[in-house]
Amino acid sequence: MNIVLLGAPGAGKGTQAQKLVEEFGIAHISTGDLLRAAVKAQSELGLQAKSYMDAGKLVPDELVINLVKERLQADDAQEGFILDGFPRNTAQAVTLDSELAAMDRNLDAALLVDVKPEVIVNRLSSRRTCRSCGYTAPASVDVCPRCGGEMYQRDDDKPETIQKRLDVYQTQTAPLVEYYRGHSILKEVDGDRPADEVYADVRALLTV
Ligand code: ADP
Ligand code: ZN
């Protein structure tokens, strides 16, 4: 099963991805997590990506595309994958299609986790992220329930940057909804509900 997750920042893509990974044993490929790991490791890529991320802007396509290409070749991605945070604009979507075609693979679904902007702003400003594994939870949680790591507020989850990220989503990423609708693989769930209820719909939509 090869899936792309779509939805605004804070829509709950990561949470749904985690549940799918647990149930179906496919690879979770989050470009945000990969980029944050690169920043933490101070690799060449991390150094190049950091200023864009802190500003809430998209990292240049060629950097992200190379990262994803490499990740798609890894052993654990051969049985299936969930792309979370990629593609984020039409150029990335077109590149993904041609990369997959070259590997004789294709996308089974583009799953939109739909949440209204008002809800997003509240969720993101109270969100904390695990430094070690990337798990996200509300601000009241200070130790990661998954790995015991330290929870912190991402630099880009501060109010100034949240609006910028939502603008970027609206102008650059939202058009992908129509892109995938046009390819007849778009599936939509209402993300403004408890995560387990959202997941029940996700499952029903994916396992036909
Ligand atoms: P969120 O979905 O919560 O905004 P992510 O963790 O997916 O967060 O991404 C964080 C940041 O990493 C983005 O704001 C952007 O700077 C960068 N990024 C992640 N994925 C991509 C991508 N596919 N293309 C360009 N930049 C990306
Ligand atoms: Zn953790």
Side-chain angles (χ1 to χ4, degrees):
M1 184 157 53
N2 300 332
I3 308 167
V4 159
L5 277 175
L6 293 175
K13 299 188 294 294
T15 307
Q16 297 304 318
Q18 202 50 55
K19 291 176 184 291
L20 287 166
V21 167
E22 277 162 26
E23 183 162 358
F24 297 100
I26 51 186
H28 180 198
I29 306 181
S30 158
T31 45
D33 286 352
L34 292 170
L35 289 168
R36 277 185 292 280
V39 170
K40 193 171 165 192
Q42 299 189 308
S43 66
E44 180 70 24
L45 168 67
L47 295 174
Q48 288 175 298
K50 187 173 189 321
S51 58
Y52 296 98
M53 295 173 74
D54 287 347
K57 295 182 185 164
L58 294 186
V59 171
D61 288 344
E62 59 276 18
L63 299 181
V64 183
I65 286 169
N66 283 330
L67 197 63
V68 171
K69 269 197 215 171
E70 219 170 89
R71 192 62 189 76
L72 285 174
Q73 310 289 343
D75 284 348
D76 72 327
Q78 304 318 305
E79 293 300 311
F81 58 78
I82 302 168
L83 275 168
D84 170 6
F86 184 94
R88 249 190 168 81
N89 59 30
T90 307
Q92 292 181 6
V94 170
T95 308
L96 176 63
D97 283 343
S98 58
E99 279 306 314
L100 289 175
M103 296 167 75
D104 226 3
R105 301 169 77 176
N106 65 304
L107 288 177
D108 298 304
L111 182 68
L112 171 64
V113 182
D114 204 12
V115 178
K116 290 184 286 301
E118 310 85 86
V119 179
I120 298 280
V121 176
N122 288 330
R123 280 194 192 179
L124 287 179
S125 38
S126 70
R127 177 168 85 170
R128 299 295 179 270
T129 302
C130 173
R131 255 190 221 290
S132 314
C133 77
Y135 185 91
T136 56
S140 52
V141 176
D142 50 25
V143 174
C144 174
R146 195 164 69 184
C147 79
E150 182 203 353
M151 302 297 284
Y152 79 113
Q153 183 173 41
R154 273 169 45 181
D155 286 342
D156 61 353
D157 279 345
K158 310 225 156 117
E160 322 75 270
T161 319
I162 290 174
Q163 193 50 52
K164 176 69 192 164
R165 283 160 64 213
L166 287 174
D167 292 346
V168 168
Y169 176 77
Q170 220 42 61
T171 55
Q172 304 200 51
T173 312
L176 295 181
V177 172
E178 294 316 315
Y179 179 88
Y180 288 117
R181 204 195 301 278
H183 286 61
S184 307
I185 56 167
L186 184 73
K187 316 233 179 227
E188 301 174 67
V189 288
D190 173 7
D192 190 7
R193 293 173 300 154
D196 288 339
E197 286 178 31
V198 177
Y199 187 63
D201 283 4
V202 166
R203 236 186 145 277
L205 281 172
L206 293 180
T207 52
V208 268

